Amino acid sequence: LNGDFQATQRLARYVVESDPEDVPHDVRHEAARSLVNWLACGLGGSRHEAIQRAVAALRPFAGPPQATLIGRRDRFDVLHAALLNGMSAHVLDFDDTHLRTLVHPSVPVASSLLALSERQSISGCDFIHAFVLGVEVECRIANAIYASHNVSGYITGTAGVFGAAAAASRVLGLSAQHMTWALGIAATQAAGLREMAGTMSKSFVHGRAAQNGLVAALLAQKGFTSSERSIEAPRGFARVLAGVSELEALTAGLGERFELSLNTYKPYACGVVCHPVIDACIALGKQLACDPTEIEFISLRVHPLALKLTGIKKPSSGLESKWSIYHSSAVALVDRVAGEHQYSDERLNDPCVSALRDKVTAEADTALADDAAHVTIALRSGRTLEHYVEHATGSVARPMSDAALEQKFLTLADGVLARSQLTALLETCWQVERLDDVSSLARLSTPAEI
Amino acid sequence: LNGDFQATQRLARYVVESDPEDVPHDVRHEAARSLVNWLACGLGGSRHEAIQRAVAALRPFAGPPQATLIGRRDRFDVLHAALLNGMSAHVLDFDDTHLRTLVHPSVPVASSLLALSERQSISGCDFIHAFVLGVEVECRIANAIYASHNVSGYITGTAGVFGAAAAASRVLGLSAQHMTWALGIAATQAAGLREMAGTMSKSFVHGRAAQNGLVAALLAQKGFTSSERSIEAPRGFARVLAGVSELEALTAGLGERFELSLNTYKPYACGVVCHPVIDACIALGKQLACDPTEIEFISLRVHPLALKLTGIKKPSSGLESKWSIYHSSAVALVDRVAGEHQYSDERLNDPCVSALRDKVTAEADTALADDAAHVTIALRSGRTLEHYVEHATGSVARPMSDAALEQKFLTLADGVLARSQLTALLETCWQVERLDDVSSLARLSTPAEI
């Protein structure tokens, strides 16, 4: 690549010039699946303590009640709604994953777009198109940086802000020049540290990406200027945040394939790199005829990233236990599921789960794929059980079905909205492209007046 | 340092436990000088196009009119006021500098504190104390990272957010535990790229540091959790953003000396690393009896950082010309001053200045201090003039006097507030510690009703 490579401007031009007809049907259907999963997580997370505290802290400073908070009666200004809905949709660590980079694509893009839809009318067709384009930009940026960036900064915080900016800029109808500035204003807000895992600040990083990307688009709309080479310049985003100067991945094959096709949804409420181990432990738990106290030890062989990202041996809270492959395997073996309840303080401190957790050892095996795992259980009796998972449930090779996504939606949203409202909302999500105005989706996501 | 070094918690405890009596008189006077300079810049920048566009973009989403925008009639919510006042005070590139790190200390700390003072009563004494502590935290963090960070990320964006968080947390009366979380929430928002130089986004980075630090304090106040080792952890701020693991500078001699003592104020409206060259060119301009067209070439020898940070050869706008040592020397030679007007589009495109700019060459000399420069002018007549500056005006060794700061204040604020209001405001700044409630400072900074 020569020094004149204009990655930022090329991405901006692509987003401005893309035609909705260019997006294949299966990609648009994947967008609807992402929307179902994002709303499921947003509804499920909407009463989390992290959201309660953030709402209490920010309420006195919020603007007009322009936009819905998913799953809540509160209304906030559009910018705070993007933040808080992004936080709700991520706080359970149950949202979608672009597995190659571990970006969570929907939170920044969908949270900013839905909030904006309550300020200006956006058709379902335009919403899905802008969503696909926003995910494309954020995942391409993630592809360019993830190898050097992933284990340090939070990639959804840093790449996601571009996705939110691109999607919002598209529905605002910005020119390529203004969209280039929006990407620059996004770049200079790119932030987030993996050190936040297991604390409320993790969801904040993700919600901020949605809000900051939206602010970038709104500033650029008014002619607020920025660098026009914010991604690729020597002092730009890619080199400063990730040390990357080879940026072909940003534009190679642009418009010919869609990163959204690689989106995946979690069947389990924890870090995605744990999932193959959970599959194995659920299978072994079903085979296990004996009491868990009969287990001598549990030995995991996993992809190295699983230990890097979920290596917390003794989690101190339910939230932190989502980042523990040790807790995940113990609780999955006992409960034979791994939903939100398995990552509660209660299950974390359960004596049986806790005793089993101490018997888990894990080793990294570079020969394993990142969606594969091998688990061995040794019993006091001398017997051993083994299970190998080639592809985890919810991986690209073994995706969750539409029906499984619906079930996840209904389970997470249970008690937040009335059952009849949930089925109407699901139906609207699947048919989103037929909506004249997607703000009806937002209205359906808030509890009806009693 | 062993792996247990608790830098974040120690900084938090220091800020919580510090007694106003511990701050020496000269440091408190330096705080008043910083305040005068910050307000001067905020008033001077308040009608800049960047501020107009940001106000227009954000106005529809702003909360209640709780707080003053310096130099303007508009009122915004406290969070937006912190952002917009921070932007106003930085947009002219005329604010203060901690020379060792090139942090601009006052923008994040003063902008968040003054906005907060309109939400809760803060005495002048507490304001100055919190200001000193916020600057201490931000400059110590900058000291720890600047060597590896300065030429890539914007250090005021990344270190400044901690200063704003610490100062706001102090006046909110947070416990050490809550302040530790506030520093963590700040850490995960630390952002800013030097690539933004010469665009409106540079001021945005600085204002965001004020706003984001304030948000961090307000979230922590409500018990919003974060990492407790956000600065020093392996995946924390210092290693991820700057690759730094030697963090002694964060706490060495804490409470025994004050970084604010090293604060400096700019006599010239451009990047501080240009200032020794401008001193030399003004001096040479006064000696030069002939027409500038008689000049054959101008040759600069400067500290290497001056070329790295202000090396733009052909600036394309007045704003960008603040980052050009070539424009700075040419315009200083012709105009014999280097105020805001010298960095206007008009002066940039003046044929005489522009012709002279093309005759400037610059070379880095590692033997020169960063506040020194050597300038040689060769005339067509064969005569040469030379000038060596050992310490630039406004450096730690040759500080601006209180009277010079007042003159800067009056020049920048001229036409923004009535002259009588300006003298009252100046008087209030110098006597700030006597105020029962510093919100009167904010009220004095807005144009009186006609």
Side-chain angles (χ1 to χ4, degrees):
Chain A
L1 287 182
N2 67 43
D4 292 335
F5 181 55
Q6 303 284 333
T8 311
Q9 292 189 20
R10 279 191 56 191
L11 284 173
R13 225 169 24 240
Y14 169 67
V15 174
V16 168
E17 292 171 2
S18 169
D19 190 298
E21 301 293 315
D22 300 339
V23 181
H25 174 77
D26 62 330
V27 175
R28 299 206 307 269
H29 182 64
E30 203 61 54
R33 283 163 53 84
S34 299
L35 187 61
V36 168
N37 187 71
W38 173 77
L39 265 176
C41 296
L43 289 165
S46 62
R47 281 114 190 250
H48 191 284
E49 191 59 31
I51 310 306
Q52 311 285 21
R53 293 183 193 181
V55 163
L58 298 172
R59 161 66 71 206
F61 310 103
Q66 299 159 333
T68 303
L69 296 197
I70 293 169
R72 302 178 64 95
R73 290 265 169 74
D74 321 53
R75 289 178 69 79
F76 268 72
D77 63 85
V78 165
L79 302 181
H80 277 109
L83 169 69
L84 292 162
N85 288 336
M87 292 174 66
S88 291
H90 185 75
V91 72
L92 304 181
D93 277 312
F94 218 166
D95 53 327
D96 53 2
T97 310
H98 179 255
L99 282 173
R100 181 179 174 200
T101 61
L102 300 187
V103 155
H104 302 297
S106 291
V107 159
V109 184
S111 308
S112 54
L113 279 180
L114 193 70
L116 193 53
S117 81
E118 296 189 85
R119 171 104 180 131
Q120 69 168 60
S121 176
I122 304 174
S123 74
C125 202
D126 288 347
F127 181 94
I128 289 297
H129 186 217
F131 177 80
V132 169
L133 295 171
V135 170
E136 190 66 22
V137 167
E138 97 189 307
C139 290
R140 281 177 172 271
I141 289 172
N143 285 340
I145 65 168
Y146 82 101
S148 55
H149 176 75
N150 186 51
V151 293
S152 51
Y154 256 135
I155 200 161
T156 308
T158 54
V161 67
F162 292 96
S169 295
R170 167 81 200 194
V171 299
L172 289 170
L174 300 196
S175 68
Q177 169 70 80
H178 286 75
M179 189 167 309
T180 302
W181 289 338
L183 294 176
I185 305 167
T188 202
Q189 299 179 84
L193 298 172
R194 277 203 17 83
E195 173 63 16
M196 300 299 136
T199 77
M200 294 180 178
S201 291
K202 180 167 194 274
S203 67
F204 181 67
V205 167
H206 289 71
R208 253 334 200 198
Q211 182 186 34
N212 288 346
L214 182 52
V215 167
L218 291 163
L219 285 169
Q221 186 184 32
K222 296 292 183 190
F224 195 89
T225 65
S226 187
S227 162
E228 290 166 19
R229 302 186 69 227
S230 60
I231 301 172
E232 69 274 18
R235 291 169 182 176
F237 168 79
R239 281 183 224 195
V240 172
L241 272 81
V244 171
S245 54
E246 301 293 316
L247 296 167
E248 298 86 345
L250 287 172
T251 53
L254 194 60
E256 292 161 21
R257 47 188 165 74
F258 290 89
E259 291 294 323
L260 188 62
S261 306
L262 303 174
N263 203 14
T264 67
Y265 313 96
K266 289 181 177 181
Y268 310 127
C270 61
V272 73
V273 290
C274 285
H275 289 199
V277 158
I278 293 173
D279 273 349
C281 287
I282 290 175
L284 289 166
K286 287 174 183 168
Q287 285 172 44
L288 207 68
C290 65
D291 194 88
T293 57
E294 291 303 305
I295 292 174
E296 181 96 24
F297 66 81
I298 303 161
S299 151
L300 317 177
R301 271 197 299 118
V302 294
H303 184 269
L305 209 53
L307 286 187
K308 274 194 190 154
L309 300 182
T310 58
I312 298 174
K313 291 225 175 198
K314 295 195 178 292
S316 60
S317 68
L319 198 52
E320 201 173 73
S321 71
K322 290 170 181 268
W323 301 95
S324 171
I325 201 165
Y326 305 96
H327 174 72
S328 291
S329 31
V331 79
L333 207 52
V334 176
D335 291 0
R336 300 172 198 178
V337 287
E340 191 47 30
H341 177 62
Q342 278 63 48
Y343 297 93
S344 60
D345 290 351
E346 185 198 329
R347 291 311 287 153
L348 176 67
N349 299 319
D350 176 86
C352 171
V353 170
S354 157
L356 213 49
R357 189 167 58 235
D358 293 341
K359 295 179 183 170
V360 180
T361 59
E363 90 187 279
D365 182 344
T366 52
L368 285 172
D370 57 8
D371 62 344
H374 187 274
V375 177
T376 307
I377 295 179
L379 302 177
R380 291 191 200 282
S381 65
R383 198 179 142 217
T384 62
L385 289 81
E386 294 189 49
H387 195 93
Y388 170 63
V389 170
E390 191 179 359
H391 297 293
T393 311
S395 62
V396 175
R398 280 184 61 206
M400 283 180 79
S401 65
D402 289 0
L405 280 174
E406 289 205 357
Q407 194 48 55
K408 179 179 173 183
F409 180 97
L410 294 171
T411 306
L412 276 169
D414 184 43
V416 179
L417 303 183
R419 185 72 189 213
S420 61
Q421 199 179 340
L422 288 178
T423 40
L425 184 53
L426 259 182
E427 188 59 31
T428 311
C429 284
W430 293 125
Q431 306 293 332
V432 60
E433 289 198 87
R434 297 192 190 163
L435 295 176
D436 289 334
D437 187 331
V438 291
S439 64
S440 58
L441 253 184
R443 281 196 303 279
L444 268 171
S445 305
T446 187
E449 298 288 335
I450 296 161
Chain B
L1 289 180
N2 68 42
D4 293 335
F5 180 56
Q6 304 284 334
T8 312
Q9 291 189 21
R10 280 190 56 193
L11 284 173
R13 227 172 20 243
Y14 168 67
V15 174
V16 168
E17 292 171 1
S18 170
D19 191 298
E21 301 294 315
D22 299 340
V23 182
H25 173 77
D26 62 332
V27 175
R28 298 205 309 269
H29 182 64
E30 202 62 52
R33 284 163 53 86
S34 300
L35 188 61
V36 168
N37 187 71
W38 172 77
L39 265 176
C41 296
L43 289 166
S46 62
R47 282 115 190 249
H48 191 283
E49 191 59 31
I51 310 305
Q52 310 286 20
R53 293 183 192 181
V55 163
L58 298 171
R59 158 68 68 207
F61 311 103
Q66 298 159 335
T68 303
L69 296 198
I70 293 170
R72 301 177 66 95
R73 290 264 169 75
D74 322 53
R75 290 178 69 80
F76 268 73
D77 63 85
V78 165
L79 303 180
H80 277 108
L83 168 69
L84 292 163
N85 287 336
M87 291 173 67
S88 291
H90 184 74
V91 72
L92 304 181
D93 277 312
F94 218 167
D95 53 326
D96 53 0
T97 311
H98 179 255
L99 282 174
R100 181 178 174 199
T101 61
L102 301 187
V103 155
H104 303 295
S106 291
V107 158
V109 183
S111 308
S112 55
L113 279 179
L114 192 70
L116 194 53
S117 81
E118 295 188 87
R119 170 106 182 130
Q120 67 168 59
S121 175
I122 305 174
S123 74
C125 201
D126 288 348
F127 181 94
I128 289 296
H129 186 215
F131 177 81
V132 170
L133 295 171
V135 170
E136 190 67 21
V137 167
E138 97 189 306
C139 290
R140 281 178 172 271
I141 289 171
N143 285 340
I145 65 168
Y146 82 102
S148 56
H149 176 73
N150 186 49
V151 292
S152 52
Y154 257 134
I155 199 160
T156 308
T158 54
V161 66
F162 292 97
S169 296
R170 168 78 199 197
V171 298
L172 289 169
L174 301 195
S175 69
Q177 169 69 81
H178 285 75
M179 189 166 309
T180 302
W181 288 338
L183 294 177
I185 305 168
T188 203
Q189 298 177 88
L193 299 172
R194 277 203 15 82
E195 173 61 17
M196 300 299 135
T199 77
M200 294 180 178
S201 292
K202 180 167 194 271
S203 68
F204 181 68
V205 167
H206 290 71
R208 258 324 203 201
Q211 182 186 32
N212 288 346
L214 181 52
V215 167
L218 291 163
L219 284 169
Q221 185 185 32
K222 295 292 182 189
F224 195 89
T225 65
S226 188
S227 162
E228 290 166 18
R229 304 187 67 228
S230 60
I231 301 171
E232 69 274 19
R235 291 168 182 176
F237 168 80
R239 282 186 223 192
V240 172
L241 272 81
V244 170
S245 54
E246 300 294 316
L247 295 167
E248 300 86 345
L250 288 171
T251 53
L254 195 60
E256 292 162 22
R257 48 190 163 73
F258 290 88
E259 292 293 323
L260 188 62
S261 307
L262 303 174
N263 204 14
T264 66
Y265 314 96
K266 289 181 176 181
Y268 310 127
C270 60
V272 74
V273 290
C274 285
H275 289 200
V277 159
I278 293 174
D279 273 349
C281 287
I282 290 175
L284 289 167
K286 288 175 182 168
Q287 285 173 44
L288 208 66
C290 64
D291 194 85
T293 56
E294 292 302 305
I295 293 174
E296 180 99 24
F297 65 81
I298 303 161
S299 149
L300 318 177
R301 272 198 299 119
V302 294
H303 185 267
L305 209 52
L307 287 187
K308 274 193 192 156
L309 300 181
T310 58
I312 298 175
K313 290 224 173 198
K314 295 194 177 294
S316 59
S317 68
L319 197 51
E320 203 174 71
S321 71
K322 290 170 180 267
W323 302 95
S324 171
I325 201 164
Y326 305 95
H327 174 71
S328 291
S329 31
V331 80
L333 206 53
V334 177
D335 291 0
R336 298 170 199 179
V337 287
E340 190 49 27
H341 177 62
Q342 277 63 47
Y343 297 93
S344 60
D345 291 351
E346 183 198 329
R347 292 310 288 152
L348 175 67
N349 298 319
D350 177 87
C352 171
V353 170
S354 158
L356 213 50
R357 189 166 60 233
D358 292 341
K359 296 179 184 170
V360 180
T361 59
E363 87 186 281
D365 182 345
T366 52
L368 285 172
D370 56 8
D371 61 346
H374 188 275
V375 177
T376 307
I377 295 180
L379 302 178
R380 290 189 201 281
S381 66
R383 196 178 143 219
T384 62
L385 288 82
E386 294 188 51
H387 196 93
Y388 171 64
V389 170
E390 191 178 0
H391 297 294
T393 312
S395 63
V396 176
R398 283 184 58 207
M400 282 180 79
S401 66
D402 289 1
L405 280 173
E406 289 205 357
Q407 195 47 56
K408 178 178 173 182
F409 179 97
L410 295 171
T411 306
L412 276 169
D414 183 44
V416 179
L417 303 182
R419 185 71 189 218
S420 61
Q421 200 180 338
L422 287 178
T423 40
L425 184 53
L426 260 181
E427 189 57 32
T428 311
C429 283
W430 292 127
Q431 306 292 333
V432 58
E433 289 197 87
R434 298 193 190 163
L435 294 176
D436 289 334
D437 187 330
V438 291
S439 64
S440 58
L441 252 184
R443 280 194 304 279
L444 269 172
S445 306
T446 188
E449 299 287 335
I450 297 162

